[in-house]
Every structure is written in C-alpha cells, then in structure tokens.
C-alpha cells in the first residue's frame, strides 16, 4: 500500500485523518503622510495557525508568489512565523504554496489570497493606526497520516486529531521541542495579533442549524399539503 | 364501401383483376423443373441466387446403353486378417463386377506402438515402480486399444491411474526412440521427444478442470464478481498512474471516479501513488457522480483543503440537478442568511452545510411535486379533459387554458372526445346533446372552422 517506504516510520494509518486549522491573509497599513505613489501601503501576508499556534510542526516551508513587478517575486519563508512583509500600492493575487515535512505529505498545497489594501468602505477615512485586514479560515486535511507524523503531533495544540479507531495505540509522543524555539513559532505574541480575526464555528453552526430547522419545517408542511391534494384529487379522478 | 367513400379511397375493382392475372404467371415461373413444387417449397420456395443444385442433374437417368444388375457376391477386405468370407450386394455393370479393395478398408488405421526387445528393456527401461511384466502388458493393451488410456486403465490387471500408465508408456517410447536413433538430432523433431509427458502437471490440470466443472452457480457468480473487481482495481490504478503524469500545480484534473470501495476482496485502492495538489479556490474540473466515490477520491489525495472537499461534495450532491435548480438552492441559502461558502469551514460546519443543501434540494423537489398535484387536481375538478393521460402535464402550462376550453365547448355547444357519458356528470355543461362533428378525435384540439 502506498509508496515504497523506507522503514516503519512512514507507515500510513488508515481511517485517521488529521486536520490542521489555519488562517491565511494579510494586514495592510496605510502609510499616510509617508506614502508615495509607488509605496502607499505596508502590508504583511501570512499563514498562521487558527488559534495562533506554531505551524512549523506541520509546515516546513511557505513560498509566497508575488506580482511580477516585485523584485524576486518568489519569496521563500523557511521558518515560523510564516509571513512576508512588503510595501506597495496595488492589490493582486498572491499564490501561497505550503510545503510540508517529509513524513507529513510529499506534495505541496496551494492557496490563493487576494491582497487587500483598501477598506470596504471607500469613502471612509484611511487610518495609519488601524490596518485593513483580510483573513480566510481553512482546514488542511491529511488522510492516512504516517505513524511518525501522528506521534509528533499527538498533543500539539496546532493540530486536531479525531477519535482514533478502537484499539489503536499510538506510539509514545515525542518529547516537546526546545521551549524557546517553540515560542518563536507561534503567533500569540505577534505584533499583529491584536488585529487577528476570530473565527468561531459556533456562530456558523447556529446559523446553519436555524436554517435547517426552517427548511425541515417547510418540507413537513409541503408533504402534508401533497398528501392532502392527492386525497382531494382522488375524488375527482374519472373511473 | 361506405367506409371507402368516407376515407376517400377510390373504389377500384380493377386492381383485383390485375392481381389475379399476375398470379398464375408468377406461379409457373417459380416452379422449377426437375423437382416437385412441394420439395422446392421446403428449401425456401424461391430461386436461389446461385443455384446449388444443378437442376438438370436431378432427374438424370443412367445412360441406357449400360445394363445394370445387382448381385449378391462375396468380397475380401484388406482390413481383415482372418479369412472370413463375407457377402454383400454389388452393382454389376454389363456383367463385370467392380474391382478393387473393399471401399471401407482404407479407414482401418491404427497407432504405431513401439515395441522394444528384451535387450532394450534391460538396457534402458528398467524402473523401480514397474515390472517388465506390467510394462509388457501395458504395451499389449496399448496396441489392442489404440492408446485409449481410459479403457487400458480399466483393463489393466493391477490398479494404476491413467496418468501413471500414460507416463510409463510415453517415457518408454521416448527412451526407445532416442536410444534407437543414430543421432539425437534426428529425433528431436519427433513429437514424443519434443514434448515430454509431465505427470504432475497433468494431475493438477485434471483436478482443476474437475473443480471448475463442479462449481455451483453461487461460486461462479462470486468468481465473476471477484474478477470484475480486480479489473476495476487494475483500471483505476492505471488511470491513477496516468493522472500522475501532468503534475501541474494549478487546476489539476482529478483522475478516475472508479475508486469505489468494495466490500469484498481487499480495499487496495485508496493507498495509491496519486498525490495531486488541490487548488483552494479554483473549481475542480471533474464531476464526480457518487458521494462515496467523492470520498474515496478525496482520500486518494492525501492532503486537501476543507473548502475544496466541500465543493466536491456539493457538486456530487447536485449533479442530478439542472443549473436552474442550483441557482434556486443558492437563492434559498441567501434568503436564509447562510453564507454560500462557509466562513469557518470546520468539519462540523461543512457537514451541516452539505446537509442543508441537500434538504433544500428536497424542498424544491417537493414544491414541484405539489405544483403538479395541484394542477392535476384543478384539471380534474373542471372535469373537462381529466381522462386524458397527458392532461396533468398540459394543464400545468396554464390552468387558464383549461378554462378556455371549457368556455369554448359551452359556447359552441360541441362536445369533444369519445366519452360523452362521463362528461355529462361534470358541472355546468351548457348544451351537451348537440352532436360532435369530430367524433373520432380523442385528443381535444383547438376549434377549427370545419368542425362547426
């Protein structure tokens, strides 16, 4: 099964999927008085863990592909926090490619983010203090993770593990890495963290549940109506 | 004849007489000479394109100058070794009996069984499992029964299997041939030398054959299923390998949808070598019909984005719906104040979203159903064309149309349709007794001037 692996480390585990919730996007500050024609905003594009945890346990490298008008449009970031700061004037699509560690996944994953510099409300005042932030929530799903990957992330806050299949015993977790190294990787104390958006699934779930209830009620009503009409029709049906 | 008038056909007695005339002509043409009509009819009754029987040969009589008699005469056959005198009827021409051997003697063929001398036996053919006596007996029987081993096995004094007998016979013959041959090259072409008898293989083969023969229907079906499954797996593997080739990062085609999980023999499908990068925002170009195959193909991807997965599932769920329906679903979602693409796509949220979409589809279907039923009901109530099979659909287009029909019939006083009795039961008929000009019409149609 799977690719020819070297040794047991890469053994894949079926029926388990690991999901990594991430948020990717940008924050852009207007430069105000210091703005020039070609450098009106200072922006940072980044990929972070949804709860600001360190992603480097999963992600090895992130490549941001910028607009061709930038010098060296291919920017490679090898360590957490996976972000890139630049200054410019235009909005364009940035291709973000995530490269994972060898035991996580061998193929990269692509995300696309449209750089947002100008606020929704075009007529409003632009402030140099408050950035324009555009973030998207996403979850990366790894099907059939390797044993070593599973062992590494077993208790890591950045990663969501579902219920493991019955009787499944994980190998003992690898000891946590160097404290200082880990601290640097997470974005909890990031300078931009105050602007980070909060993504709560609770709201969305509530909304969906309410909608479903409405639809289900409607369906029930229709079914009653249909059966009633059917009975009415029976009276008039010719012999 | 009235019917003919009505239908507007010309009354033509002429054509009948014409038919009568042509028939006898054709008949005499068809009957061939030489064989009776009935016999000819047996072979199809029509002249063949290429006459297989030369008709002139059929009733050939022997030339009259010869005098034929039949005589009961003795004969000899080269096939008989004894001197038994047999008799049979012989066709004698002009007093001269036929010459030559008995005509069936040429069919008396037999096998050339190699006989060895005692010397040769001592030299080459001794075998721990076979005595000389047994081997001699074997060869006798072989000659007697023309190598019919089943019979030989039956007649053999000591119990031996057919395979053993065959083995002994062929190996002995082979050895003798090789021994007698001046050089090995000469006999290399001989079939006995070229393909030696392989006992174990034969036993195995016969066993397998009998197994196949004795398979029950149930087993046959199971085997067919397994084979089909294996074929599917092989195909999906091949397609997956082909899909691996174009390894582009953007908008990649997800290969086959044949990755359905089978209950029976092994799910060897999912762990494959295919790892195709999944585009986040770009829509996938493939349409996967079944939900389970969607799941399976997602599993093949190793890594994918939740939004992408949701997109796939949504597509699969709405694959049976038309574009208009999909738009209506989206409209409904908006009315319910739900994001078309969830803002926080966690596993739970995506699942709920998918379920919601499915429920909306159900809702729309039910709405359509209700519409149909109501339209049907209204047409029944009007009583106009309720007995028509297509009425429900037609009245769907506009209930008004039905009302127009009713008005028409009332004003013109004409009753359409065959079943007048039933219509009398309907409400509010103005004048039903007037005759219908178009009595033969079953389907109601727009009024024509000619109908009045």
């Amino acid at each position: 099964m799977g690719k020819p692996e070297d040794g047991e480390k890469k053994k894949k585990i079926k029926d388990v999927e690991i999901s990594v919730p991430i948020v990717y996007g940008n924050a852009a500050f207007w430069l105000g008085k210091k703005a020039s024609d070609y450098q009106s905003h200072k922006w940072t594009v980044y990929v972070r863990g949804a709860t600001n945890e360190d992603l480097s346990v999963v992600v090895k490298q992130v490549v941001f592909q910028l607009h061709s008008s930038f010098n060296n449009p291919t920017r490679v970031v090898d360590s957490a926090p996976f972000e890139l700061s630049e200054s410019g004037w235009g909005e364009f699509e940035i291709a973000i490619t995530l490269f994972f560690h060898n035991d996580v996944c061998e193929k990269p994953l692509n995300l696309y983010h449209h750089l947002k510099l100008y606020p929704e409300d075009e007529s409003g005042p632009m402030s140099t203090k408050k950035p324009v932030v555009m973030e998207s929530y996403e979850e990366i799903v790894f099907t059939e993770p390797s044993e070593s990957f599973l062992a590494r992330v077993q208790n890591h806050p950045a990663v969501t593990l579902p219920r493991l299949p019955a009787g499944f015993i994980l190998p003992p977790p690898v000891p946590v890495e160097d404290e200082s190294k880990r601290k640097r990787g997470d974005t909890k104390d990031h300078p931009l963290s105050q602007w980070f958006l909060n993504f709560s699934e609770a709201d969305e779930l509530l909304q969906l549940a309410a909608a479903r209830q409405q639809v289900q009620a409607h369906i029930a009503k229709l079914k009653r109506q249909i059966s009633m009409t059917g009975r009415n029709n029976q009276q008039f049906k010719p012999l | 004849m009235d019917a003919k008038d009505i239908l507007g056909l010309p009354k033509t007695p002429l054509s009948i007489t014409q038919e009568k005339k042509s028939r006898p002509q054709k008949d005499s043409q068809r009957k061939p000479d030489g064989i009776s009509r009935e016999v000819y009819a047996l072979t199809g009754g029509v002249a063949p394109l290429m006459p297989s029987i030369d008709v002139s040969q059929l009733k050939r009589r022997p030339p009259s100058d010869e005098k034929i008699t039949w005589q009961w005469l003795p004969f000899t056959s080269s096939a008989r070794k004894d001197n038994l005198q047999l008799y049979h009827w012989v066709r004698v021409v002009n007093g001269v009996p036929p010459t030559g051997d008995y005509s069936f003697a040429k069919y008396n063929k037999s096998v050339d069984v190699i006989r060895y001398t005692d010397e040769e036996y001592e030299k080459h053919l001794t075998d721990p499992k076979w005595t000389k006596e047994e081997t001699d007996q074997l060869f006798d029987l072989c000659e007697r029964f023309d190598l019919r081993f089943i019979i030989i096995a039956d007649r053999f004094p000591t119990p031996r299997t057919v395979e053993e007998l065959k083995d002994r016979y062929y190996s002995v013959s082979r050895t003798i041939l090789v021994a007698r041959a001046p050089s090995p090259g000469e006999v290399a072409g001989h079939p006995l030398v070229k393909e030696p008898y392989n006992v174990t293989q034969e036993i195995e083969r016969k066993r397998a054959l009998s197994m196949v023969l004795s398979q029950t229907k149930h087993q046959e079906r199971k085997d067919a299923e397994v084979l089909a499954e294996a074929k599917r797996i092989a195909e999906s593997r091949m397609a997956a390998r082909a899909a691996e080739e174009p390894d582009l990062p953007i908008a990649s085609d997800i290969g086959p949808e044949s990755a359905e999980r089978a209950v029976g023999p092994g799910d060897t499908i999912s762990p494959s070598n295919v790892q195709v990068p999944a585009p986040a925002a770009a829509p996938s170009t493939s349409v996967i019909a079944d939900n389970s195959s969607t799941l399976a193909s997602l599993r093949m991807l190793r890594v994918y984005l939740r939004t992408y997965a949701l997109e796939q599932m949504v597509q699969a769920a709405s694959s049976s719906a038309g574009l208009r329906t999909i738009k209506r679903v989206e409209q409904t979602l908006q009315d319910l104040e739900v994001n078309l693409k969830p803002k926080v796509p966690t596993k739970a949220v995506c699942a709920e979203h998918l379920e919601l979409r499915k429920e909306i589809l159900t809702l729309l279907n039910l709405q359509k159903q209700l519409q149909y039923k109501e339209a049907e009901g209204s047409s029944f109530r009007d009583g106009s064309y309720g007995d028509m099979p297509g009425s429900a659909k037609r009245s769907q287009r506009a209930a008004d149309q039905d009302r127009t029909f009713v008005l028409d019939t009332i004003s013109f006083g004409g009753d359409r349709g065959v079943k007048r009795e039933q219509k009398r039961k309907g409400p509010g008929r103005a004048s039903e007794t007037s005759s219908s000009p178009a009595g033969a019409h079953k389907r109601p149609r727009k009024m024509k001037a000619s109908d009045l």
Side-chain angles (χ1 to χ4, degrees), chain B residues 233-259:
Chain B
I233 293 171
E235 276 175 11
S236 76
R237 282 238 183 90
M238 293 239 290
R241 227 169 284 142
E244 222 184 14
E245 304 309 315
D247 197 352
L248 304 164
I250 306 174
S252 46
D253 264 347
I254 314 299
E257 66 267 42
S258 62

PDB file of all heavy atoms in Angstrom, chain B residues 233-259:
ATOM      1  N   ILE B 233     -10.023  -2.503 -10.215  1.00  0.00           N
ATOM      2  CA  ILE B 233      -8.875  -2.029  -9.446  1.00  0.00           C
ATOM      3  C   ILE B 233      -7.704  -1.770 -10.382  1.00  0.00           C
ATOM      4  O   ILE B 233      -7.048  -0.724 -10.313  1.00  0.00           O
ATOM      5  CB  ILE B 233      -8.458  -3.070  -8.381  1.00  0.00           C
ATOM      6  CG1 ILE B 233      -9.544  -3.195  -7.322  1.00  0.00           C
ATOM      7  CG2 ILE B 233      -7.164  -2.666  -7.731  1.00  0.00           C
ATOM      8  CD1 ILE B 233      -9.313  -4.334  -6.385  1.00  0.00           C
ATOM      9  N   ALA B 234      -7.481  -2.710 -11.279  1.00  0.00           N
ATOM     10  CA  ALA B 234      -6.360  -2.533 -12.212  1.00  0.00           C
ATOM     11  C   ALA B 234      -6.566  -1.282 -13.045  1.00  0.00           C
ATOM     12  O   ALA B 234      -5.639  -0.502 -13.245  1.00  0.00           O
ATOM     13  CB  ALA B 234      -6.254  -3.768 -13.107  1.00  0.00           C
ATOM     14  N   GLU B 235      -7.796  -1.096 -13.487  1.00  0.00           N
ATOM     15  CA  GLU B 235      -8.060   0.081 -14.320  1.00  0.00           C
ATOM     16  C   GLU B 235      -7.846   1.352 -13.543  1.00  0.00           C
ATOM     17  O   GLU B 235      -7.266   2.313 -14.049  1.00  0.00           O
ATOM     18  CB  GLU B 235      -9.496   0.032 -14.829  1.00  0.00           C
ATOM     19  CG  GLU B 235      -9.642  -0.810 -16.068  1.00  0.00           C
ATOM     20  CD  GLU B 235     -11.084  -0.932 -16.456  1.00  0.00           C
ATOM     21  OE1 GLU B 235     -11.910  -0.200 -15.880  1.00  0.00           O
ATOM     22  OE2 GLU B 235     -11.371  -1.764 -17.317  1.00  0.00           O
ATOM     23  N   SER B 236      -8.323   1.369 -12.310  1.00  0.00           N
ATOM     24  CA  SER B 236      -8.181   2.606 -11.538  1.00  0.00           C
ATOM     25  C   SER B 236      -6.716   2.883 -11.269  1.00  0.00           C
ATOM     26  O   SER B 236      -6.274   4.024 -11.285  1.00  0.00           O
ATOM     27  CB  SER B 236      -8.958   2.515 -10.235  1.00  0.00           C
ATOM     28  OG  SER B 236      -8.271   1.702  -9.328  1.00  0.00           O
ATOM     29  N   ARG B 237      -5.957   1.803 -11.040  1.00  0.00           N
ATOM     30  CA  ARG B 237      -4.521   2.006 -10.823  1.00  0.00           C
ATOM     31  C   ARG B 237      -3.878   2.613 -12.055  1.00  0.00           C
ATOM     32  O   ARG B 237      -3.077   3.528 -11.969  1.00  0.00           O
ATOM     33  CB  ARG B 237      -3.847   0.655 -10.540  1.00  0.00           C
ATOM     34  CG  ARG B 237      -4.063   0.183  -9.134  1.00  0.00           C
ATOM     35  CD  ARG B 237      -2.725  -0.033  -8.434  1.00  0.00           C
ATOM     36  NE  ARG B 237      -2.959  -0.553  -7.098  1.00  0.00           N
ATOM     37  CZ  ARG B 237      -3.031  -1.844  -6.822  1.00  0.00           C
ATOM     38  NH1 ARG B 237      -2.869  -2.722  -7.792  1.00  0.00           N
ATOM     39  NH2 ARG B 237      -3.267  -2.238  -5.589  1.00  0.00           N
ATOM     40  N   MET B 238      -4.276   2.086 -13.216  1.00  0.00           N
ATOM     41  CA  MET B 238      -3.677   2.589 -14.452  1.00  0.00           C
ATOM     42  C   MET B 238      -4.044   4.042 -14.665  1.00  0.00           C
ATOM     43  O   MET B 238      -3.208   4.879 -14.985  1.00  0.00           O
ATOM     44  CB  MET B 238      -4.197   1.783 -15.643  1.00  0.00           C
ATOM     45  CG  MET B 238      -3.740   0.379 -15.646  1.00  0.00           C
ATOM     46  SD  MET B 238      -2.840   0.068 -17.140  1.00  0.00           S
ATOM     47  CE  MET B 238      -4.190   0.130 -18.306  1.00  0.00           C
ATOM     48  N   ALA B 239      -5.305   4.342 -14.460  1.00  0.00           N
ATOM     49  CA  ALA B 239      -5.742   5.726 -14.664  1.00  0.00           C
ATOM     50  C   ALA B 239      -5.073   6.629 -13.654  1.00  0.00           C
ATOM     51  O   ALA B 239      -4.695   7.756 -13.968  1.00  0.00           O
ATOM     52  CB  ALA B 239      -7.254   5.794 -14.539  1.00  0.00           C
ATOM     53  N   ALA B 240      -4.905   6.126 -12.446  1.00  0.00           N
ATOM     54  CA  ALA B 240      -4.259   6.944 -11.413  1.00  0.00           C
ATOM     55  C   ALA B 240      -2.825   7.230 -11.813  1.00  0.00           C
ATOM     56  O   ALA B 240      -2.335   8.343 -11.654  1.00  0.00           O
ATOM     57  CB  ALA B 240      -4.308   6.220 -10.069  1.00  0.00           C
ATOM     58  N   ARG B 241      -2.178   6.219 -12.375  1.00  0.00           N
ATOM     59  CA  ARG B 241      -0.804   6.439 -12.804  1.00  0.00           C
ATOM     60  C   ARG B 241      -0.767   7.451 -13.932  1.00  0.00           C
ATOM     61  O   ARG B 241       0.099   8.307 -13.995  1.00  0.00           O
ATOM     62  CB  ARG B 241      -0.187   5.119 -13.282  1.00  0.00           C
ATOM     63  CG  ARG B 241       1.178   4.931 -12.682  1.00  0.00           C
ATOM     64  CD  ARG B 241       1.677   3.535 -12.912  1.00  0.00           C
ATOM     65  NE  ARG B 241       1.029   2.588 -12.035  1.00  0.00           N
ATOM     66  CZ  ARG B 241       0.663   1.353 -12.392  1.00  0.00           C
ATOM     67  NH1 ARG B 241       0.857   0.955 -13.619  1.00  0.00           N
ATOM     68  NH2 ARG B 241       0.103   0.535 -11.551  1.00  0.00           N
ATOM     69  N   ALA B 242      -1.762   7.373 -14.814  1.00  0.00           N
ATOM     70  CA  ALA B 242      -1.810   8.339 -15.918  1.00  0.00           C
ATOM     71  C   ALA B 242      -2.067   9.727 -15.384  1.00  0.00           C
ATOM     72  O   ALA B 242      -1.520  10.705 -15.871  1.00  0.00           O
ATOM     73  CB  ALA B 242      -2.909   7.935 -16.901  1.00  0.00           C
ATOM     74  N   ALA B 243      -2.878   9.808 -14.339  1.00  0.00           N
ATOM     75  CA  ALA B 243      -3.200  11.129 -13.794  1.00  0.00           C
ATOM     76  C   ALA B 243      -1.989  11.740 -13.120  1.00  0.00           C
ATOM     77  O   ALA B 243      -1.900  12.950 -12.977  1.00  0.00           O
ATOM     78  CB  ALA B 243      -4.356  11.007 -12.804  1.00  0.00           C
ATOM     79  N   GLU B 244      -1.077  10.895 -12.703  1.00  0.00           N
ATOM     80  CA  GLU B 244       0.103  11.416 -12.024  1.00  0.00           C
ATOM     81  C   GLU B 244       0.986  12.195 -12.987  1.00  0.00           C
ATOM     82  O   GLU B 244       1.724  13.074 -12.595  1.00  0.00           O
ATOM     83  CB  GLU B 244       0.912  10.239 -11.472  1.00  0.00           C
ATOM     84  CG  GLU B 244       1.432  10.476 -10.095  1.00  0.00           C
ATOM     85  CD  GLU B 244       2.303   9.316  -9.630  1.00  0.00           C
ATOM     86  OE1 GLU B 244       2.688   8.502 -10.465  1.00  0.00           O
ATOM     87  OE2 GLU B 244       2.585   9.271  -8.449  1.00  0.00           O
ATOM     88  N   GLU B 245       0.901  11.857 -14.256  1.00  0.00           N
ATOM     89  CA  GLU B 245       1.830  12.446 -15.225  1.00  0.00           C
ATOM     90  C   GLU B 245       1.759  13.958 -15.268  1.00  0.00           C
ATOM     91  O   GLU B 245       2.727  14.655 -15.016  1.00  0.00           O
ATOM     92  CB  GLU B 245       1.562  11.877 -16.630  1.00  0.00           C
ATOM     93  CG  GLU B 245       1.640  10.371 -16.705  1.00  0.00           C
ATOM     94  CD  GLU B 245       2.894   9.815 -16.114  1.00  0.00           C
ATOM     95  OE1 GLU B 245       3.962  10.365 -16.389  1.00  0.00           O
ATOM     96  OE2 GLU B 245       2.799   8.854 -15.328  1.00  0.00           O
ATOM     97  N   PRO B 246       0.582  14.553 -15.632  1.00  0.00           N
ATOM     98  CA  PRO B 246       0.552  16.018 -15.701  1.00  0.00           C
ATOM     99  C   PRO B 246       0.545  16.587 -14.301  1.00  0.00           C
ATOM    100  O   PRO B 246      -0.478  16.707 -13.676  1.00  0.00           O
ATOM    101  CB  PRO B 246      -0.745  16.311 -16.445  1.00  0.00           C
ATOM    102  CG  PRO B 246      -1.593  15.113 -16.235  1.00  0.00           C
ATOM    103  CD  PRO B 246      -0.690  13.954 -15.988  1.00  0.00           C
ATOM    104  N   ASP B 247       1.718  16.906 -13.818  1.00  0.00           N
ATOM    105  CA  ASP B 247       1.834  17.269 -12.420  1.00  0.00           C
ATOM    106  C   ASP B 247       1.834  18.784 -12.268  1.00  0.00           C
ATOM    107  O   ASP B 247       2.811  19.380 -11.822  1.00  0.00           O
ATOM    108  CB  ASP B 247       3.140  16.674 -11.884  1.00  0.00           C
ATOM    109  CG  ASP B 247       3.135  16.637 -10.371  1.00  0.00           C
ATOM    110  OD1 ASP B 247       2.198  17.205  -9.791  1.00  0.00           O
ATOM    111  OD2 ASP B 247       4.081  16.076  -9.806  1.00  0.00           O
ATOM    112  N   LEU B 248       0.717  19.429 -12.665  1.00  0.00           N
ATOM    113  CA  LEU B 248       0.678  20.889 -12.622  1.00  0.00           C
ATOM    114  C   LEU B 248       0.105  21.349 -11.303  1.00  0.00           C
ATOM    115  O   LEU B 248      -0.791  20.737 -10.776  1.00  0.00           O
ATOM    116  CB  LEU B 248      -0.198  21.417 -13.759  1.00  0.00           C
ATOM    117  CG  LEU B 248       0.236  20.930 -15.138  1.00  0.00           C
ATOM    118  CD1 LEU B 248      -0.867  21.145 -16.134  1.00  0.00           C
ATOM    119  CD2 LEU B 248       1.495  21.667 -15.570  1.00  0.00           C
ATOM    120  N   PRO B 249       0.573  22.476 -10.791  1.00  0.00           N
ATOM    121  CA  PRO B 249       0.037  22.955  -9.514  1.00  0.00           C
ATOM    122  C   PRO B 249      -1.341  23.583  -9.634  1.00  0.00           C
ATOM    123  O   PRO B 249      -2.035  23.700  -8.663  1.00  0.00           O
ATOM    124  CB  PRO B 249       1.061  23.986  -9.050  1.00  0.00           C
ATOM    125  CG  PRO B 249       1.721  24.436 -10.303  1.00  0.00           C
ATOM    126  CD  PRO B 249       1.709  23.291 -11.232  1.00  0.00           C
ATOM    127  N   ILE B 250      -1.736  24.004 -10.793  1.00  0.00           N
ATOM    128  CA  ILE B 250      -2.994  24.722 -10.895  1.00  0.00           C
ATOM    129  C   ILE B 250      -4.027  23.901 -11.627  1.00  0.00           C
ATOM    130  O   ILE B 250      -3.740  23.309 -12.647  1.00  0.00           O
ATOM    131  CB  ILE B 250      -2.808  26.063 -11.649  1.00  0.00           C
ATOM    132  CG1 ILE B 250      -1.702  26.866 -10.974  1.00  0.00           C
ATOM    133  CG2 ILE B 250      -4.096  26.848 -11.665  1.00  0.00           C
ATOM    134  CD1 ILE B 250      -1.346  28.112 -11.708  1.00  0.00           C
ATOM    135  N   ALA B 251      -5.216  23.921 -11.105  1.00  0.00           N
ATOM    136  CA  ALA B 251      -6.383  23.307 -11.767  1.00  0.00           C
ATOM    137  C   ALA B 251      -6.068  21.948 -12.349  1.00  0.00           C
ATOM    138  O   ALA B 251      -6.110  21.747 -13.545  1.00  0.00           O
ATOM    139  CB  ALA B 251      -6.928  24.227 -12.843  1.00  0.00           C
ATOM    140  N   SER B 252      -5.774  21.017 -11.484  1.00  0.00           N
ATOM    141  CA  SER B 252      -5.452  19.685 -11.981  1.00  0.00           C
ATOM    142  C   SER B 252      -6.708  18.832 -12.054  1.00  0.00           C
ATOM    143  O   SER B 252      -7.622  18.987 -11.280  1.00  0.00           O
ATOM    144  CB  SER B 252      -4.432  19.045 -11.075  1.00  0.00           C
ATOM    145  OG  SER B 252      -4.833  19.243  -9.735  1.00  0.00           O
ATOM    146  N   ASP B 253      -6.728  17.931 -12.996  1.00  0.00           N
ATOM    147  CA  ASP B 253      -7.859  17.021 -13.146  1.00  0.00           C
ATOM    148  C   ASP B 253      -7.737  15.885 -12.174  1.00  0.00           C
ATOM    149  O   ASP B 253      -6.716  15.211 -12.142  1.00  0.00           O
ATOM    150  CB  ASP B 253      -7.847  16.440 -14.556  1.00  0.00           C
ATOM    151  CG  ASP B 253      -8.766  17.222 -15.459  1.00  0.00           C
ATOM    152  OD1 ASP B 253      -9.554  18.020 -14.961  1.00  0.00           O
ATOM    153  OD2 ASP B 253      -8.658  17.019 -16.662  1.00  0.00           O
ATOM    154  N   ILE B 254      -8.738  15.680 -11.397  1.00  0.00           N
ATOM    155  CA  ILE B 254      -8.707  14.515 -10.536  1.00  0.00           C
ATOM    156  C   ILE B 254      -9.099  13.311 -11.373  1.00  0.00           C
ATOM    157  O   ILE B 254     -10.148  13.279 -11.949  1.00  0.00           O
ATOM    158  CB  ILE B 254      -9.713  14.673  -9.368  1.00  0.00           C
ATOM    159  CG1 ILE B 254      -9.595  16.059  -8.749  1.00  0.00           C
ATOM    160  CG2 ILE B 254      -9.483  13.609  -8.348  1.00  0.00           C
ATOM    161  CD1 ILE B 254      -8.251  16.338  -8.186  1.00  0.00           C
ATOM    162  N   GLY B 255      -8.229  12.328 -11.379  1.00  0.00           N
ATOM    163  CA  GLY B 255      -8.358  11.206 -12.301  1.00  0.00           C
ATOM    164  C   GLY B 255      -9.685  10.475 -12.312  1.00  0.00           C
ATOM    165  O   GLY B 255     -10.714  11.031 -12.616  1.00  0.00           O
ATOM    166  N   PRO B 256      -9.675   9.232 -11.940  1.00  0.00           N
ATOM    167  CA  PRO B 256     -10.873   8.428 -12.184  1.00  0.00           C
ATOM    168  C   PRO B 256     -11.851   8.502 -11.034  1.00  0.00           C
ATOM    169  O   PRO B 256     -11.482   8.779  -9.909  1.00  0.00           O
ATOM    170  CB  PRO B 256     -10.327   7.023 -12.275  1.00  0.00           C
ATOM    171  CG  PRO B 256      -9.160   7.051 -11.359  1.00  0.00           C
ATOM    172  CD  PRO B 256      -8.598   8.431 -11.381  1.00  0.00           C
ATOM    173  N   GLU B 257     -13.078   8.258 -11.327  1.00  0.00           N
ATOM    174  CA  GLU B 257     -14.025   8.164 -10.225  1.00  0.00           C
ATOM    175  C   GLU B 257     -14.333   6.727  -9.912  1.00  0.00           C
ATOM    176  O   GLU B 257     -15.290   6.405  -9.265  1.00  0.00           O
ATOM    177  CB  GLU B 257     -15.313   8.905 -10.578  1.00  0.00           C
ATOM    178  CG  GLU B 257     -16.075   8.277 -11.719  1.00  0.00           C
ATOM    179  CD  GLU B 257     -15.698   8.906 -13.037  1.00  0.00           C
ATOM    180  OE1 GLU B 257     -14.519   9.145 -13.250  1.00  0.00           O
ATOM    181  OE2 GLU B 257     -16.594   9.151 -13.830  1.00  0.00           O
ATOM    182  N   SER B 258     -13.549   5.850 -10.445  1.00  0.00           N
ATOM    183  CA  SER B 258     -13.842   4.446 -10.242  1.00  0.00           C
ATOM    184  C   SER B 258     -13.310   3.945  -8.922  1.00  0.00           C
ATOM    185  O   SER B 258     -13.255   2.759  -8.679  1.00  0.00           O
ATOM    186  CB  SER B 258     -13.231   3.637 -11.376  1.00  0.00           C
ATOM    187  OG  SER B 258     -11.826   3.827 -11.334  1.00  0.00           O
ATOM    188  N   ALA B 259     -12.897   4.831  -8.044  1.00  0.00           N
ATOM    189  CA  ALA B 259     -12.334   4.362  -6.782  1.00  0.00           C
ATOM    190  C   ALA B 259     -13.440   4.058  -5.783  1.00  0.00           C
ATOM    191  O   ALA B 259     -13.490   4.606  -4.714  1.00  0.00           O
ATOM    192  CB  ALA B 259     -11.390   5.417  -6.231  1.00  0.00           C
TER     193      ALA B 259
END
